[in-house]
Structure formats: C-alpha cells, structure tokens
Amino acid sequence: MKVVDAFYSPEAYTSYGIDFYESGKQSGQSHANIPIEGILHVYINNTLFMDITCSPDNLFELTLGRLFSEGIISTKSDIDDIRFEKQSMRMFVALKNSFDKVLSRTITMVSTCESNKQTLSNLNSCSDLPKKVEPIPWDIETIFRLAKVFARDTPGHRTTYGLHSCYLVVGENVLFCCEDLGRHNALDKVIGHALEQGIDFRQTLVFTSGRTPVDMVSKVIRAHIPILVTKAVPTYQSVALAQSHELTLICSAYPDSIKVFSDPEGKYQQANCKIAV
C-alpha cells in the first residue's frame, strides 16, 4: 500500500511552556505542542462570503475544496483567479460566471471540530445534492489495511493530538493526507488537492477521523465520492442520507473491525473485490 507524505506544515502548531503534574509524582515544567488557530476570510468577486476557522496551512486547497463540496463551483475551471494575502488571511476568488444568487447569501461559516455554524445560508441543505453516487466495489481486507495505515497516525495529530485527519484513496494508494482543526476542513483540503490534480472522484474513497453528521456526508455526495470511511460514528440522519444516495458508509473503522451502515448492492460480500482504478 502506497502512502504519500501528509500535507502538513509546522507553521500550524507551536510549542508552549506548561506546568506538568502527574498523580503521585513530583510536578515540573514541560512543554506541549498545540495547534495554531486561524480565521481565513474568503471573498468571492470582492464580496466577503465566508470566514473559516482553520489550521493555517493548505489554504488554497481548503478554499477550492470548500467551494466545490458546498456546490458553489462545479469544476476548478469555474474560477477565473484566486490569490491569497497572507498577512490579513484573506483569500480572493474571482468566478467566471455570475453567481449573484449565491453571493446574496453572504455568510459566516465557522468550521472547527466543535462547530460548523452558518447564518443566512442553506448551503448544507440536501436539495442540491445529486440523485445518487455511482457505487464501486470494495473489500473488507482493503479497509482493514487502510485502517492500519490510519492508526499509524499523521504528523500533526501525532505532534499535537488536537487535529483531525483525512485521506483520499484510489485503489490501495493514499494520494492525499490532510489535517486540520476541523474535520470538515480536513475533508475539503483533500478534495481541493484532488481538484488541482484532476483526480476522478468517482474512483476514490475518503477515510476521516471525524464523526459523520449530515453535512459531512453531503460534502462527499456532492463530490461524487462513492465510499466514505470513518474512524468515528455516524448519525441516524447521515446513515439515511447515505443509503438514499447509494453512498457506501463504513464507520468505527479499526484494523480488526468495521461497522457497515450503508452498502449498495452488498458488494462487500465479494471476497476478491478491489476498488477500481
């Protein structure tokens, strides 16, 4: 199984001096590596469209993936120009076509592990989702092998224990690995990398560390990704959405056990089935 290096920057965390206490042992001074939190201000056609609380790395990919996974753009070519002002954390996106209807819903979007709040927006509604994704075959042993790779940990989480991780996989190859304070952001970052590289989402799988509510499942469906695997758990509503759109949903994925909540056509029963490349 081929695994790429994680797309993670040391600028996304810092070392901080602390007082350390252990039960029954002498206290002392130590240090802890903690994530850095930033707010990315995204402007579309010179109008502030959203603020994203995030880890300050892979910001172009985060922006590209967010616009795509929320249905604002349908392809990378919808963007005429994109530029970033590092000092002010402002991303300026120029779209080719008229998006007046979308831009009239100027929002504040905060995406962290704790919250994904939106105002004056229905971006996470399911009304704009495709009717279904196209299922692809998979097999249990491949998922177990991916879970073993995932269990080895990623650089940012291993350093801080405060970040979510997300892989994008084709066949048995992990193409992109991204981390962020928010599970939504980590997913959008791998989607952004895939858009940049022209990857066919219809042949991919995503593996995430975060729980999967409806908005996470919606992002995957909008991207036409057929398989979503998570180390965590789903909600009742997200399972129903996955089933209605024929998304394969595998949760509580560990090296020795998985829980399959949605499996179109029962393809996991085919012992020798592999993900098509």
Side-chain angles (χ1 to χ4, degrees):
M1 181 171 292
K2 181 182 177 182
V3 183
V4 300
D5 292 333
F7 290 91
Y8 187 77
S9 169
E11 295 180 356
Y13 65 87
T14 188
S15 181
Y16 195 84
I18 60 170
D19 293 324
F20 185 69
Y21 298 88
E22 286 186 285
S23 177
K25 296 183 180 181
Q26 185 176 359
S27 64
Q29 293 185 326
S30 183
H31 74 278
N33 292 313
I34 55 177
I36 294 175
E37 183 175 347
I39 299 179
L40 177 65
H41 311 286
V42 179
Y43 289 76
I44 296 182
N45 295 354
N46 294 317
T47 298
L48 178 61
F49 186 66
M50 59 184 169
D51 295 325
I52 308 175
T53 301
C54 59
S55 300
D57 65 321
N58 294 280
L59 297 179
F60 282 102
E61 291 76 18
L62 172 58
T63 303
L64 186 61
R66 175 60 53 85
L67 295 179
F68 181 74
S69 72
E70 296 292 352
I72 307 303
I73 62 173
S74 57
T75 176
K76 181 183 175 182
S77 62
D78 287 337
I79 297 178
D80 186 50
D81 183 59
I82 182 169
R83 62 183 176 86
F84 178 57
E85 289 185 357
K86 184 175 182 179
Q87 186 173 0
S88 61
M89 282 285 285
R90 293 191 297 177
M91 188 75 70
F92 294 92
V93 181
L95 298 180
K96 290 183 178 179
N97 301 318
S98 175
F99 282 77
D100 293 339
K101 184 177 179 180
V102 173
L103 292 173
S104 67
R105 298 176 297 149
T106 301
I107 65 171
T108 297
M109 180 184 294
V110 181
S111 291
T112 66
C113 182
E114 292 76 24
S115 61
N116 187 32
K117 300 176 182 177
Q118 301 183 1
T119 59
L120 304 180
S121 172
N122 62 352
L123 287 181
N124 279 330
S125 70
C126 301
S127 60
D128 65 329
L129 294 180
K131 291 184 178 180
K132 66 176 184 177
V133 297
E134 186 66 32
I136 60 174
W138 63 280
D139 71 283
I140 293 174
E141 293 305 318
T142 296
I143 302 301
F144 284 156
R145 286 192 290 272
L146 285 172
K148 288 179 181 178
V149 171
F150 205 83
R152 294 173 193 162
D153 215 348
T154 43
H157 183 266
R158 187 167 55 244
T159 301
T160 66
Y161 297 103
L163 298 171
H164 279 289
S165 310
C166 188
Y167 292 170
L168 188 118
V169 182
V170 174
E172 292 198 24
N173 296 325
V174 178
L175 300 186
F176 308 110
C177 170
C178 291
E179 299 176 88
D180 198 276
L181 289 167
R183 60 191 184 279
H184 301 80
N185 297 342
L187 173 61
D188 284 333
K189 285 179 179 179
V190 296
I191 288 175
H193 276 289
L195 279 174
E196 286 185 322
Q197 298 297 320
I199 303 298
D200 183 358
F201 287 105
R202 295 171 298 178
Q203 300 298 326
T204 63
L205 170 156
V206 289
F207 198 128
T208 176
S209 61
R211 57 186 171 83
T212 53
V214 166
D215 54 358
M216 285 284 284
V217 172
S218 297
K219 285 176 176 289
V220 173
I221 292 172
R222 284 194 188 94
H224 297 279
I225 295 170
I227 302 176
L228 171 58
V229 184
T230 177
K231 184 179 176 181
V233 298
T235 65
Y236 176 83
Q237 289 78 8
S238 65
V239 172
L241 182 62
Q243 291 179 348
S244 68
H245 286 74
E246 298 194 12
L247 171 72
T248 300
L249 180 61
I250 303 169
C251 303
S252 302
Y254 293 96
D256 58 353
S257 65
I258 60 175
K259 295 180 181 179
V260 180
F261 286 86
S262 176
D263 182 44
E265 302 178 18
K267 292 188 172 164
Y268 75 96
Q269 296 176 1
Q270 301 176 26
N272 296 318
C273 227
K274 299 295 181 183
I275 298 175
V277 178

